[in-house]
Amino acid sequence: MPTLDELRFPIGKFTKPTTVTAEKFKTFVNEIAQLPADLRASVSGLSESQLDSPYRDGGWTVRQVVHHLFDSHANSFIRLKLALTEDTPIIKPYDESLWAEHIDSKSAPVETSLNMIDGLHARWAQLLRSLSPEEIQRQFSHPESGLWRIDQQAAMYAWHGKHHRTHITSLRNRMGW
């Protein structure tokens, strides 16, 4: 049986890179572009009761994880746009655990967020692929975690998508779904 830390961080904790090569950035963008298909595959065929199963004791349900991915990635996309249009904007954090407790996160069909993730990630990847090396270095300031360059944000959200998708696929494997 996996430890609590292995259940919480099945692919390991994120480490913010200090430098990101052009090739690595391209990899992160490709992973962001690929997440919608991978996420759909991870929830394909799950019943309503399986979608309402937590990926670990005390963790979010599969349904909440899917809705969280849209909430989080929509915020990230807006932060990217702010970084591209303002000089080091201070972005607004939000309490993801409170967002996950709202009725839409707990009961809306996952297809709703899957559809929004499809469109969001298509635009996000298109925009990221269009950026010049100088634009990739633009920054925003997070009141809790400090300065983030766009290339570091791409690294974070490539990891974030895999992190939560692995919550779902690991649960499926453990439960034999």
Side-chain angles (χ1 to χ4, degrees), residues 32-33 36 77 116-129:
I32 288 168
F77 181 75
M116 291 191 294
I117 289 168
D118 286 341
L120 174 66
H121 279 246
R123 282 192 57 196
W124 196 0
Q126 178 186 18
L127 180 57
L128 288 170
R129 287 180 175 132

Side-chain angles (χ1 to χ4, degrees), residues 39 51 85 87 91 154:
L39 184 59
L51 290 169
T85 59
D87 291 329
I91 58 95

Side-chain angles (χ1 to χ4, degrees), residues 62-129:
V62 171
R63 184 183 310 275
Q64 285 173 299
V65 169
V66 171
H67 294 313
H68 162 73
L69 279 165
F70 173 74
D71 291 344
S72 176
H73 292 199
N75 272 285
S76 181
F77 181 75
I78 296 302
R79 292 169 180 176
L80 167 64
K81 298 283 271 198
L82 289 169
L84 290 170
T85 59
E86 299 178 17
D87 291 329
T88 318
I90 299 171
I91 58 95
K92 183 174 181 350
Y94 68 100
D95 188 333
E96 64 185 31
S97 60
L98 289 177
W99 283 39
E101 292 304 314
H102 284 277
I103 192 70
D104 62 318
S105 294
K106 288 183 148 186
S107 66
V110 293
E111 191 65 28
T112 305
S113 283
L114 292 172
N115 288 336
M116 291 191 294
I117 289 168
D118 286 341
L120 174 66
H121 279 246
R123 282 192 57 196
W124 196 0
Q126 178 186 18
L127 180 57
L128 288 170
R129 287 180 175 132

Side-chain angles (χ1 to χ4, degrees), residues 11-12 18 20 30 34 36 44 53 70 88 95 98 101 113-114 116 125 134 136 140 145 147 149 159 170-171 173:
I11 63 168
T18 54
V20 177
N30 289 339
Q34 183 60 40
S44 178
S53 299
F70 173 74
T88 318
D95 188 333
L98 289 177
E101 292 304 314
S113 283
L114 292 172
M116 291 191 294
E134 295 77 28
I136 291 167
F140 62 82
S145 58
L147 287 176
R149 294 187 319 266
W159 171 87
S170 295
L171 174 64
N173 290 338

